[in-house]
């Protein structure tokens, strides 16, 4: 589903954020991407989303060769990817429902179809009963779940998250990772950047480790201790 072959990324200021990174994430797989601050986690996710271009190497996402894909086609690539950010970037003056509906409205779906899909997405994250509220009436964990509902409402085959638990306490973080695991169980391919090692270990999923832009470890799920499943 996602393949990196000898991928390097050098920013214009000369910083090498990724160096010769190779890995593959199969359809339906879930993995964590970890490493120190500045290790290259965000850069890797931004390359998958075509928010940045690789300097060298090949990236394949959902059958598309990104280095051969012109930037004007990036929106099509992104349609197949749900992205969750640390600060969920909800619109404060729109209801939970409208925030989640936004990608579908942009895609031009009909009113009835939007309603059906938004309710299904909110149900998945356990927030169907909060649909008319404004985001600031919700707790941090709930707001992050609205962000997840918005990411999955288009039913993308791939879900990426960049430090999604950055602002949450350990219990809520665990709950959120459990939600990702649940979505993965339904067939979604999931890649989560996080530096929360204890939490990652508790999930018992594959772990990719970046250090100074290099992929220094790739730990299979059955080698990761403490799985909750
Ligand atoms: P992480 O997500 O693991 O903290 P990043 O991918 O954000 O790592 O950053 C990797 C390296 O690339 C860091 O040294 C960072 O300063 C640098 N970097 C990130 N984004 C840019 C950018 N837009 N321009 C220049 N350097 C960048």
């Amino acid at each position: 589903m996602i393949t990196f072959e000898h991928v390097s990324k050098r920013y214009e200021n000369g910083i090498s954020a990724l160096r010769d990174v190779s890995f593959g994430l199969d359809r339906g797989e879930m993995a964590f991407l970890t490493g120190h601050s500045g290790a290259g986690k965000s850069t890797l996710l931004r390359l998958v989303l075509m928010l940045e271009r690789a300097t060298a190497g090949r990236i394949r996402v959902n059958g598309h060769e990104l280095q051969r894909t012109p930037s004007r086609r990036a929106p099509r690539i992104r349609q197949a990817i749900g992205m969750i950010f640390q600060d969920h970037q909800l619109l404060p003056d729109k209801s939970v429902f409208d925030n989640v509906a936004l990608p579908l409205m942009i895609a031009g779906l009909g009113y009835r179809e939007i309603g059906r899909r938004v309710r299904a997405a909110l149900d998945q994250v356990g927030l169907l009963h909060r649909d008319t509220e404004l985001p600031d009436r919700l707790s941090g964990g709930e707001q992050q779940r609205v962000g997840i509902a918005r990411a999955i409402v288009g039913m993308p085959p791939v879900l990426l998250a960049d430090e999604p638990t950055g602002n949450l306490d350990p219990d809520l973080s665990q709950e959120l990772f459990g939600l990702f695991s649940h979505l993965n169980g339904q067939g979604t391919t999931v890649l989560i950047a996080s530096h929360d090692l204890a939490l990652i270990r508790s999930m018992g999923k594959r772990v990719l480790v970046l250090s100074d832009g290099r992929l220094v470890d790739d730990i299979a799920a059955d080698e990761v201790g403490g799985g909750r499943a």
Side-chain angles (χ1 to χ4, degrees):
M1 191 55 125
I2 298 177
T3 314
F4 273 52
E5 284 178 32
H6 303 290
V7 173
S8 296
K9 171 63 184 178
R10 196 180 165 88
Y11 285 109
E12 276 173 13
N13 59 4
I15 289 181
S16 286
L18 291 178
R19 304 161 194 255
D20 197 23
V21 170
S22 299
F23 72 93
L25 195 64
D26 287 340
R27 189 176 294 269
E29 204 177 348
M30 173 162 169
F32 287 97
L33 181 63
T34 192
H36 60 84
S37 173
K41 304 181 291 296
S42 295
T43 298
L44 191 152
L45 297 182
R46 292 172 63 80
L47 287 175
V48 174
L49 285 164
M50 280 185 78
L51 294 169
E52 299 286 351
R53 292 288 198 156
T55 319
R58 293 176 65 186
I59 302 176
R60 240 184 346 265
V61 176
N62 205 11
H64 298 275
E65 297 271 355
L66 297 196
Q67 73 282 3
R68 291 202 202 132
T69 307
S71 297
R72 66 184 155 75
R73 300 274 301 276
R76 256 194 73 182
I77 305 287
R78 288 179 204 141
Q79 263 176 16
I81 304 172
M83 179 68 197
I84 291 135
F85 303 92
Q86 177 171 345
D87 53 344
H88 37 71
Q89 301 182 348
L90 300 176
L91 301 173
D93 58 340
K94 299 278 182 205
S95 69
V96 164
F97 183 99
D98 285 349
N99 266 284
V100 176
L102 198 65
L104 302 183
M105 286 157 97
I106 291 170
L109 264 68
Y111 183 77
R112 197 180 283 253
E113 179 69 7
I114 289 177
R116 196 180 63 76
R117 289 212 201 171
V118 170
R119 281 190 293 277
L122 284 174
D123 194 28
Q124 286 264 21
V125 302
L127 286 176
L128 191 49
H129 58 297
R130 310 296 295 273
D131 63 339
T132 58
E133 296 200 44
L134 292 176
D136 67 0
R137 300 289 303 276
L138 273 52
S139 71
E142 288 168 338
Q143 290 181 16
Q144 195 54 297
R145 273 151 58 195
V146 176
I148 293 177
R150 185 180 52 190
I152 63 173
V153 75
M155 294 185 277
V158 180
L159 214 47
L160 303 180
D162 196 355
E163 299 284 356
T165 60
N167 296 322
L168 302 180
D169 66 39
D171 281 352
L172 284 176
S173 299
Q174 182 98 53
E175 197 182 299
L176 205 70
F177 277 9
L179 179 56
F180 281 116
S181 194
H182 172 73
L183 294 168
N184 171 246
Q186 296 180 334
T188 308
T189 308
V190 180
L191 182 60
I192 303 175
S194 169
H195 63 259
D196 194 336
L197 271 180
L199 193 54
I200 289 173
R201 274 199 205 100
S202 77
M203 298 300 295
K205 301 279 186 188
R206 181 178 173 192
V207 184
L208 301 165
V209 186
L210 284 173
S211 178
D212 288 328
R214 293 188 189 280
L215 189 62
V216 294
D217 214 346
D218 182 350
I219 311 164
D222 56 12
E223 295 171 38
V224 178
R228 292 192 325 148

